[in-house]
């Protein structure tokens, strides 16, 4: 089963609105990363948050991490049509495994004009 | 330099044939990963190479799957005696090293269709 599970599976919003996606995971982690995937393309790294961090910002992105609840959220503010993509969380487990990431099932975001 | 390059971008083949998928990582990246993504799904880890260390093959679904990385650079993923359930997008990624906080850089994948 997937380490990470995103919620919702699909999200449709209007341009200018904020989009929030959630990720839950099962085991202790070293860090959690968010990636974006445009249709037919590979994944692009967006942001990384370490297990000892609670919140991180990058441009219009805001990520939170609650290790007690084993959950993270990705907030995209003032969304644009170009933000339409699938978003995946990925976890790096605490010990062993090299830099192997375990990906969630993704949230499909559609931003309409 | 250039990003991760994968070839072919699309491959259609008949059930039972062997296929080879190629990945050219970012120059200087010592870590290389293969993933499989089925339609509308997340990524399933297949195999991980780090420098000259023995690869982590723990994600390979069967002995029909194998991968090599020659000279610490280009990698090929081979699927023997393909089955219809092998149809998926195969993604390759590389990272600078095995550091805990290294992001992975992905290619655009090979879309494999087994008839």
């Amino acid at each position: 089963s997937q380490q990470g599970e995103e919620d919702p599976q699909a999200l449709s919003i209007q341009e200018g609105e904020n989009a929030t996606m959630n990720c839950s995971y099962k085991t202790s982690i070293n860090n959690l990363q968010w990636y974006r995937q445009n249709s037919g393309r590979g994944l692009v790294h967006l942001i990384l948050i370490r297990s000892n961090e609670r919140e991180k910002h990058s441009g219009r992105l805001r990520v939170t991490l609650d290790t007690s609840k084993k959950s993270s959220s990705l907030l995209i503010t003032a969304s644009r049509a170009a933000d339409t993509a699938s978003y995946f969380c990925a976890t790096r487990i605490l010990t062993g495994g090299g830099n192997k990431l375990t990906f969630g099932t993704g949230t499909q975001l559609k931003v309409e004009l | 330099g250039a990003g991760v390059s994968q070839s072919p971008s699309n491959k259609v083949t008949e059930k039972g044939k062997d296929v080879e998928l190629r990945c050219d990582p970012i120059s200087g990246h010592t870590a290389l990963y293969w993933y499989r993504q089925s339609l509308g799904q997340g990524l399933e880890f297949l195999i991980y190479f780090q420098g000259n260390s023995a690869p982590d093959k723990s994600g390979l679904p069967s002995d029909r799957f194998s991968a090599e990385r020659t000279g610490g650079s280009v990698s090929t993923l081979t699927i023997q005696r393909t089955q219809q359930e092998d149809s998926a997008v195969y993604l390759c990624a590389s990272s600078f090293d095995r550091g805990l906080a290294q992001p992975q850089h992905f290619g655009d994948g090979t879309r494999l269709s087994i008839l």
Side-chain angles (χ1 to χ4, degrees):
Chain A
S1 62
Q2 297 283 351
Q3 159 76 322
E5 298 289 339
E6 281 92 340
D7 169 53
Q9 290 187 327
L11 179 62
S12 183
I13 60 174
Q14 297 294 312
E15 197 170 49
E17 294 180 339
N18 296 340
T20 299
M21 288 158 269
N22 303 296
C23 168
S24 60
Y25 57 92
K26 298 174 182 174
T27 61
S28 295
I29 62 171
N30 175 276
N31 64 70
L32 184 145
Q33 305 178 29
W34 284 91
Y35 287 79
R36 183 186 75 220
Q37 184 179 34
N38 290 86
S39 181
R41 304 299 298 274
L43 280 72
V44 174
H45 180 262
L46 295 176
I47 194 166
L48 180 150
I49 187 164
R50 291 178 170 81
S51 60
N52 61 353
E53 297 176 311
R54 292 296 167 258
E55 187 171 312
K56 203 161 183 180
H57 297 254
S58 176
R60 294 185 296 113
L61 305 180
R62 173 179 169 249
V63 170
T64 62
L65 179 65
D66 187 333
T67 53
S68 67
K69 295 181 179 177
K70 291 186 168 60
S71 68
S72 173
S73 68
L74 171 67
L75 169 68
I76 304 173
T77 60
S79 63
R80 305 166 181 168
D83 295 329
T84 295
S86 292
Y87 292 81
F88 295 88
C89 69
T91 51
R92 166 46 169 102
I93 63 172
L94 190 61
T95 58
N99 193 18
K100 185 170 61 180
L101 295 175
T102 303
F103 286 82
T105 52
T107 292
Q108 290 187 26
L109 173 66
K110 183 175 182 181
V111 181
E112 300 186 78
L113 296 171
Chain B
V4 176
S5 177
Q6 291 188 246
S7 62
S9 55
N10 287 281
K11 177 72 175 178
V12 180
T13 192
E14 293 179 346
K15 176 182 171 181
K17 300 285 189 183
D18 297 352
V19 295
E20 276 194 0
L21 313 180
R22 176 188 168 103
C23 173
D24 205 339
I26 292 173
S27 178
H29 281 194
T30 61
L32 186 147
Y33 316 80
W34 284 98
Y35 296 91
R36 179 168 70 176
Q37 185 176 32
S38 300
L39 186 63
Q41 299 296 311
L43 274 68
E44 174 189 3
F45 167 77
L46 297 177
I47 188 169
Y48 159 54
F49 295 90
Q50 171 57 51
N52 295 321
S53 302
D56 176 353
K57 304 179 182 179
S58 60
L60 295 179
S62 77
D63 58 8
R64 296 186 296 104
F65 288 72
S66 63
E68 289 186 338
R69 188 179 187 191
T70 53
S73 181
V74 172
S75 176
T76 55
L77 176 69
T78 301
I79 309 173
Q80 296 178 310
R81 305 180 303 282
T82 52
Q83 303 294 313
Q84 288 187 330
E85 61 263 28
D86 299 335
S87 295
V89 176
Y90 289 81
L91 291 162
C92 175
S94 68
S95 65
F96 182 66
D97 61 24
R98 62 175 294 161
L100 299 181
Q102 289 292 326
Q104 295 185 12
H105 302 265
F106 284 80
D108 285 339
T110 294
R111 185 173 301 274
L112 178 63
S113 299
I114 309 300
L115 302 178

